[in-house]
Amino acid sequence: MTKFSKYIKLLGTEVFVISSKNPFNEKSNWTTDIEGINVTRLPLIYPKALISFPKSIVGRLRYKFSIFILKLRTKGNYYDKTIFWEKQFLNQAKKIIEENQIKNIIVSGAPFHLTTYCLKLKEWDSNLNLIVDFRDFWTDDLSLGPLGSISQKRRNYELELEKKVINKADYIITVSKFISKTLINKHSSNKVLTIINGFDEDDYKSKLPASKKSNDIKFVFTGTLYQNINASFIPFCKAIRLLKNNEPDLYKKVKFDFYGSSSQFNIDLVKQYELDNVSFHENLPLTQAYKIVAAADYCMLFLNDSYTFSLSTKFCEYIGLRKSIVLFSKQGESSDFIQLNSLGYWINPQETYENLLDLIKSKNKIEINERYEEVRANFIIKNISNQLNELIKF
């Protein structure tokens, strides 16, 4: 939504943003995108103990105590970081709306309780045009989201909130045709539209691939490597171990680098299989991350079995830099799309070793041609923003 704010403003619409204050020490990579945009940052009002899972005994006790308190104070998903945000958000939003005669509201979830607060803005002023943006599933994924760990009663409460939002909002937009189709069938709604993820060409200006200093074959992953990708990451580790055993010379030439955060489970798994050519690195500033990606031979994606349709922002960054994508996942819309459009390669979890070995030996790369550029252009945020801008009633 930061990128959409940037381009909607460039299309001539004044934009006001309400967001939470950053609770982390790490600064956002996208602060330059909101230069010249009116941004109001409100306190998070959520237990600090739950912002990130603690490792110390005292921290874990605070975590459990905070969860206990939240269970008493909320009916639904107590992991939603906006559960205590309603009063301050509504006060600030009403003030901005009145002072600037605003007619359009775009609210993005997750967190999803924020979308329900915007319904109250529409009740306050029925002329408001409310656009709700679903970045992920709200109640239809029990594997990635927190709903898998809460009671059925609480899930049902969230489902009722979802129904209410979809019925009362003017438009629902999602990042995937699959999510749109699911919501349309589930709620019999004719207000659900798809506006896909994309990349910002401005991010890649003056960023050229670094010269290669070795004959190593470099696979790179950037971002967050979640634990719930076991169905593809465990076969990945097993395949590299087989490569180490069966093709030791080739194994020495292949490097797998993960930049960003990763669950301890994944790190321990790599240690368990004694994979010394797989390395984990800390988060990098965006400019450095792009240079790392640009210098790689292949860029990796891992999808769990519930999200085999996902063309994530990471996918968009890779094609933005015109890199060969290697997708580790069960077959789905994503693997079909990547293969159909010659954007990279699909590694089947059932045949990870064979598929990966073939790719490494062949050293095949994607061909940057007219067809590739046509597909790539569909993911440029500047172009995609026009779709969102059309939903805004002037």
Side-chain angles (χ1 to χ4, degrees):
M1 295 310 296
T2 302
K3 296 294 187 182
F4 281 139
S5 297
K6 169 185 173 179
Y7 281 104
I8 288 174
K9 178 177 170 55
L10 289 174
L11 288 167
T13 301
E14 191 171 11
V15 178
F16 296 81
V17 176
I18 299 177
S19 73
S20 74
K21 292 180 179 178
N22 185 359
F24 304 104
N25 293 326
E26 182 183 353
K27 293 182 179 179
S28 169
N29 285 311
W30 295 278
T31 51
T32 56
D33 292 309
I34 54 174
E35 289 178 358
I37 291 176
N38 308 280
V39 181
T40 300
R41 293 182 173 86
L42 302 176
L44 185 57
I45 316 181
Y46 191 76
K48 290 183 179 179
L50 302 181
I51 299 298
S52 58
F53 193 80
K55 295 181 180 179
S56 68
I57 294 176
V58 173
R60 289 178 182 177
L61 288 173
R62 286 176 180 163
Y63 185 95
K64 290 182 178 180
F65 178 75
S66 297
I67 289 290
F68 174 76
I69 296 299
L70 291 187
K71 285 180 179 180
L72 297 177
R73 296 187 62 184
T74 183
K75 294 180 181 179
N77 176 16
Y78 40 82
Y79 292 111
D80 188 309
K81 292 182 176 61
T82 57
I83 54 178
F84 303 125
W85 231 50
E86 181 177 354
K87 184 177 179 180
Q88 65 167 351
F89 168 74
L90 289 178
N91 288 341
Q92 187 64 46
K94 288 176 182 179
K95 180 182 176 183
I96 293 173
I97 290 167
E98 285 183 325
E99 290 178 352
N100 300 279
Q101 299 180 331
I102 288 173
K103 295 299 179 185
N104 300 282
I105 300 173
I106 303 172
V107 56
S108 186
F112 292 107
H113 281 219
L114 184 58
T115 66
T116 66
Y117 307 152
C118 287
L119 291 185
K120 295 191 176 183
L121 291 176
K122 195 163 175 63
E123 291 170 2
W124 169 70
D125 182 352
S126 60
N127 292 319
L128 289 172
N129 179 40
L130 177 58
I131 302 167
V132 177
D133 169 51
F134 278 49
R135 295 280 101 189
D136 299 291
F137 278 125
W138 185 341
T139 62
D140 290 281
D141 175 35
L142 301 183
S143 61
L144 272 179
L147 291 192
S149 61
I150 66 177
S151 69
Q152 187 61 52
K153 184 178 179 180
R154 290 180 182 272
R155 288 179 207 157
N156 291 340
Y157 177 81
E158 294 291 326
L159 179 58
E160 289 303 314
L161 293 182
E162 178 183 286
K163 288 178 183 176
K164 191 175 179 181
V165 168
I166 290 178
N167 288 335
K168 294 191 175 184
D170 293 285
Y171 298 101
I172 304 293
I173 59 176
T174 83
V175 296
S176 153
K177 289 181 179 179
F178 185 86
I179 296 179
S180 293
K181 199 181 301 181
T182 301
L183 295 178
I184 289 168
N185 294 335
K186 184 178 178 183
H187 299 289
S188 301
S189 176
N190 60 357
K191 298 182 291 187
V192 183
L193 308 167
T194 304
I195 299 181
I196 60 175
N197 282 312
F199 65 90
D200 187 357
E201 281 192 305
D202 287 351
D203 289 340
Y204 308 138
K205 287 179 179 177
S206 75
K207 295 179 180 66
L208 300 175
S211 58
K212 218 174 169 186
K213 297 180 180 179
S214 71
N215 293 322
D216 291 343
I217 301 172
K218 295 183 179 180
F219 287 76
V220 163
F221 175 94
T222 58
T224 302
L225 191 69
Y226 296 103
Q227 181 172 332
N228 46 33
I229 54 166
N230 290 358
S232 56
F233 196 74
I234 291 175
F236 165 79
C237 290
K238 289 181 177 179
I240 300 175
R241 179 67 210 192
L242 279 175
L243 186 69
K244 185 176 185 177
N245 294 341
N246 300 341
E247 304 274 352
D249 292 335
L250 191 59
Y251 170 85
K252 293 174 184 177
K253 295 179 181 179
V254 184
K255 306 296 180 186
F256 300 88
D257 288 294
F258 293 83
Y259 292 87
S261 56
S262 177
S263 75
Q264 192 60 45
F265 177 87
N266 295 326
I267 296 172
D268 291 343
L269 197 64
V270 167
K271 290 179 180 177
Q272 176 187 327
Y273 282 94
E274 299 179 332
L275 307 176
D276 50 344
N277 66 347
V278 179
S279 303
F280 294 93
H281 311 270
E282 293 184 354
N283 277 313
L284 293 174
L286 210 54
T287 52
Q288 286 183 251
Y290 286 151
K291 288 178 181 178
I292 292 289
V293 170
D297 295 292
Y298 304 101
C299 294
M300 298 180 285
L301 283 176
F302 293 84
L303 298 178
N304 80 347
D305 288 354
S306 298
Y307 270 75
T308 56
F309 60 84
S310 175
L311 297 176
S312 63
T313 52
K314 197 185 319 298
F315 162 86
C316 296
E317 288 170 2
Y318 291 163
I319 65 168
L321 287 163
R322 297 180 175 89
K323 303 304 297 182
S324 297
I325 297 170
V326 180
L327 172 64
F328 297 83
S329 81
K330 188 174 71 174
Q331 186 174 11
E333 291 182 25
S334 298
S335 61
D336 293 345
F337 185 85
I338 287 172
Q339 291 181 104
L340 179 64
N341 293 288
S342 302
L343 303 176
Y345 307 92
W346 171 51
I347 305 295
N348 183 347
Q350 305 302 319
E351 300 173 340
T352 300
Y353 176 68
E354 293 80 5
N355 293 167
L356 196 56
L357 184 61
D358 287 345
L359 179 59
I360 293 169
K361 284 187 172 181
S362 68
K363 298 183 181 179
N364 288 332
K365 301 281 182 63
I366 57 170
E367 182 182 350
I368 307 300
N369 52 28
E370 186 177 346
R371 169 61 182 158
Y372 182 92
E373 294 297 344
E374 287 177 2
V375 175
R376 180 180 179 274
N378 293 328
F379 292 90
I380 297 174
I381 286 181
K382 185 177 181 179
N383 302 336
I384 297 170
S385 295
N386 288 313
Q387 296 175 258
L388 182 57
N389 203 50
E390 288 175 7
L391 302 182
I392 296 174
K393 297 176 182 177
F394 295 98

